[in-house]
Amino acid sequence: MDILAYLSDPVTVGFLQATTRLAIPIMLAALGGMFAERAGVLNIGLEGTMLSGAFVGFAVAFASGNLWLGVIGGMVAGAVIGLILAFYTVRLSSNQVVVGIAINLLMVGVTSYAFRALFGTGTNAPRVTPFPAIDIPLLHQIPLLGPLLFQQGALVYVALLLIPAAWIVVSRMAIGTAITAVGEHPAAAETLGISVNGIRTLCLVVSGLLAGLGGAFLSLSATGLFLDNMTAGRGYIALAILLLGRRNPWGVLAAALLFGGADAFQLRGQNLGIGVPYQFLVMLPYLLTVIVLIGFAEKVRDPAALGQPFQRHKAE
């Protein structure tokens, strides 16, 4: 078989492009979750944060006619959810899992109600024109990497640039060291003059910004519309990607592409008529999530203080 011809085949090119498009939202949410978990906060609310970003991003873009304003709106919505999560988990030391699940359930109802309040209940769903694909000169012709990375919309390129930026922050900057210290030993970090609550609040806001961007990607770049519960569990998949990627930005990217590939495969499998019931194909990304959780949950070392509320007076 001619490998070059196979990689240039329109079906293969379409599969690779879809892999990246489907990987980006969960990659962004996982990247946000990475900051929160490195600081010791378990952000179960990624699903609800993505959903709020998808709705607000779509509503702002539809009202203003500007997709980039929609992107900013989605990120701001995510940051607000991050602040709410910080208020309960950092300020009030509430159970992080319970607060996260409550946010997820609340956002399903809030976004569904707000969408109907703003756009009505007609059968014609409002739409915006999503970001068009932009081919990067010369690079888009590279077999395999071209369709995977260099034939995408503008928001994909922005998301991919966030990977090295996040790596620099967590691995090469003082703030990254402070985040790690807070996640590993918050009492010791506090004695060194690091504000544990301040770092955790900042990380949750950054987590919300990135997860909100992931949600805005779904409505403004992947589909051009908003649907009830359109995140469809991607926030939970992002938590599995965190484990598989070992809370490292490059690992998160690789794990997200793996899940994006599984999602793209199940979508194409439904159209190719391969004889497998579509219900089983739809299960594929979620089945992969379960396998990852079973196989890696015990093997990946968590930050020592992950999930543990920090109370300042106990550290003094």
Side-chain angles (χ1 to χ4, degrees), residues 182-195:
V182 167
E184 293 293 340
H185 202 310
E190 189 81 3
T191 59
L192 293 174
I194 299 173
S195 172

Side-chain angles (χ1 to χ4, degrees), residues 22-108:
L22 293 167
I24 292 298
I26 50 179
M27 183 203 79
L28 288 167
L31 207 57
M34 179 198 72
F35 280 100
E37 293 199 0
R38 276 178 171 260
V41 182
L42 190 59
N43 189 356
I44 300 292
L46 291 174
E47 176 78 3
T49 308
M50 288 183 74
L51 196 54
S52 69
F55 169 71
V56 175
F58 175 81
V60 172
F62 187 86
S64 66
N66 188 312
L67 291 176
W68 288 109
L69 284 180
V71 170
I72 294 172
M75 294 178 69
V76 170
V80 171
I81 298 295
L83 277 175
I84 294 172
L85 193 64
F87 175 75
Y88 282 101
T89 60
V90 177
R91 176 81 174 178
L92 302 181
S93 299
S94 302
N95 185 291
Q96 296 171 9
V97 175
V98 173
V99 174
I101 291 175
I103 286 177
N104 291 341
L105 296 175
L106 180 65
M107 284 303 108
V108 172

Side-chain angles (χ1 to χ4, degrees), residues 257-281:
L257 287 174
L258 175 65
F259 277 80
D263 211 359
F265 176 78
Q266 66 91 4
L267 287 173
R268 273 150 181 75
Q270 294 181 46
N271 297 325
L272 292 176
I274 57 178
V276 178
Y278 80 91
Q279 293 91 344
F280 288 97
L281 293 171

Side-chain angles (χ1 to χ4, degrees), residues 102-292:
I103 286 177
N104 291 341
L105 296 175
L106 180 65
M107 284 303 108
V108 172
V110 167
T111 54
S112 179
Y113 173 80
F115 181 78
R116 283 160 178 74
L118 289 177
F119 299 102
T121 57
T123 55
N124 292 326
R127 291 176 176 271
V128 297
T129 303
F131 286 99
I134 302 173
D135 291 347
I136 303 298
L138 300 179
L139 296 178
H140 78 279
Q141 297 176 343
I142 301 174
L144 185 62
L145 289 181
L148 195 63
L149 301 176
F150 304 118
Q151 298 178 19
Q152 304 289 344
L155 213 49
V156 172
Y157 300 127
V158 172
L160 292 175
L161 287 175
L162 289 173
I163 293 294
W167 179 79
I168 291 172
V169 169
V170 299
S171 303
R172 293 291 184 269
M173 296 180 68
I175 184 67
T177 305
I179 292 171
T180 302
V182 167
E184 293 293 340
H185 202 310
E190 189 81 3
T191 59
L192 293 174
I194 299 173
S195 172
V196 174
N197 288 346
I199 291 290
R200 287 186 169 182
T201 299
L202 175 64
C203 286
L204 282 171
V205 171
V206 172
S207 180
L209 281 170
L210 293 172
L213 178 59
F217 182 93
L218 283 174
S219 58
L220 301 180
S221 187
T223 61
L225 50 81
F226 177 82
L227 299 171
D228 287 345
N229 201 20
M230 69 182 301
T231 48
R234 288 181 173 84
Y236 298 110
I237 293 176
L239 294 172
I241 286 176
L242 274 176
L243 287 177
L244 191 58
R246 297 178 181 271
R247 300 183 182 87
N248 178 285
W250 298 107
V252 165
L253 172 62
L257 287 174
L258 175 65
F259 277 80
D263 211 359
F265 176 78
Q266 66 91 4
L267 287 173
R268 273 150 181 75
Q270 294 181 46
N271 297 325
L272 292 176
I274 57 178
V276 178
Y278 80 91
Q279 293 91 344
F280 288 97
L281 293 171
V282 171
M283 287 168 51
L284 192 57
Y286 307 101
L287 183 62
L288 190 58
T289 302
V290 173
I291 293 173
V292 167

